[in-house]
Amino acid sequence: DFAFAKAKLAKDMAANRPELSREGRTDLKQARHPFIAKDKVVPIDIRIGEDYRMLLITGPNTGGKTVSMKTLGTMVLLAQSGCYLPTAPDPVIAVYPNIYADIGDEQSIEQSLSTFSAHMTHIVRILQDVEEDDLVLLDELGAGTDPEEGAALAMAILEKLLQLRVTTIATTHYSELKTFAYSREGIENACVEFDVKTLRPTYRLLIGMPGASNAFAISRRLGLSESLILRAQQLVKADHAQFEHVINELENEKMMYEQRNADILERQQRVTELEAKVARTKEELSKKKGELIRKAREQSAAMVRRTRRESEAIIKELKEQFDDQGIKRRQQAIQDARAKLNEAFEKSRPGIMAQKGVGKAVSLKSIKPGDIVYVKKLDQKGTVLEVQGKELTVQIGSLHTKVKASACRFLDHAPKEPKGAGVPAASSSRRQSNAFMQKTQTIGREIDIRGMMVDEAEVVVGKFLDDAVMAGLSQVLIIHGKGTGALRKGIHEYLRRHRNVDSFQFADITEGGTGATVVTLK
């Protein structure tokens, strides 16, 4: 029943769950006294316990000083009873071991107590029992006696509470206490706002500024004769009158700055919204740009691959038509065609064929036949056959081509021949060349292994890769289909172990997507 009652109360008050602070910090925004009607209550902001432990509230009678103090006390009791608080979202409130209050006029004829005696009796008992981190609420501190003596007593009591590190909120009329709060660490002035033009309190709590009593203005509004008010103003000390004037000026400036701050905050919010809108637009344009570039690259890559396959078929026909007399012209024509295709393919899909940073620059002084070089334009490794000035004759697979030394990168020196080799170099080179020629004539760029078992496919793919390397191919396509994925996984695992495989990835959507794998050979 208690839990449901608290929930119903929280709903009726439009309350929020507080964060309980063990460090003595309280920060309530738009706090509403629960006993004042919703259409009449003026929300206030209360902060205490972080930079200061004592809040001294000054201002005119009927201005809301006591209500502000009672609002905090009620909020503390609500929170420590497990209730939500009628404030703006995310309230923070301290947990106080004990709460003491001296509020209201409890003079007693029966006990021979005046207003001052009644207040002092309570304060004496509070000072005897209060401990560090307790909360003390003192209304009209030092009232009911001689102003000078009352102000002096009030300052002494506040100093004692400061020494005990007690969280304190006190209300007063004494101007001396306003100056006292300015000269002590741990005390902060506050006031309830009063509109001098309308002679009405606004009931707003302003922390950081002392309030004026506005007794003359209120008396004039209530009908006191102007002559009496003028005489009273003459009797007031000049410095006090000047102090009250300064306070009024500060209140007017504070209201003006609050209005300016509200305007600045509104402009900042609009700027933030515009920045977010620009960022979203920029991100959308970036995505569209990336998508267009990706589609264009996919289309160009697919076109180049298609052209390459058609060219390979034409090259194969040309191989069959040429006789042995035109072998050199045939090899050169084939090499030139493949070089152009590789260059076009590399431009359309940058990063797939290019090998940046491979080897070191070729030195014409140290390069010699038999050394291994990397031809950048063809993206292939080859063996140097002859050095002619600044050009190199390089054998790549079964093909011979002339390239500039600056277009190559040095990889390794010529391998040393084993001693006692029984096969003449010319004969060995000739047989190797014939083998390359046979592979070049028969090997295709792709192989279809759909329907095979993994063991069977590994044998077929292994032979296909070896033939492709001998034919000088840099990339091949393995079509394995999608199905259950077992064949694809088995072949991918085999490719990771193969000595001639540099890398592999799924083919483009135009060549089968995840149903085929593009393999880059070493």
Side-chain angles (χ1 to χ4, degrees), residues 42-44 63 68 191-194 201-206 254-255 258:
V42 177
I44 60 173
S68 297
C191 69
V192 285
E193 191 178 52
F194 185 82
T202 65
Y203 303 107
R204 292 176 59 209
L205 182 65
L206 306 178
K254 183 177 178 67
M255 292 176 65
E258 283 183 351

Side-chain angles (χ1 to χ4, degrees), residues 282-292:
K282 184 177 179 181
E283 185 178 356
E284 290 174 1
L285 290 175
S286 179
K287 287 182 179 178
K288 289 181 180 178
K289 178 182 176 182
E291 186 68 17
L292 289 173

Side-chain angles (χ1 to χ4, degrees), residues 106-123:
E106 296 190 12
Q107 60 179 336
S108 171
I109 298 175
E110 183 180 329
Q111 297 182 15
S112 300
L113 292 176
S114 65
T115 299
F116 175 77
S117 299
H119 279 297
M120 199 51 60
T121 301
H122 283 168
I123 292 173

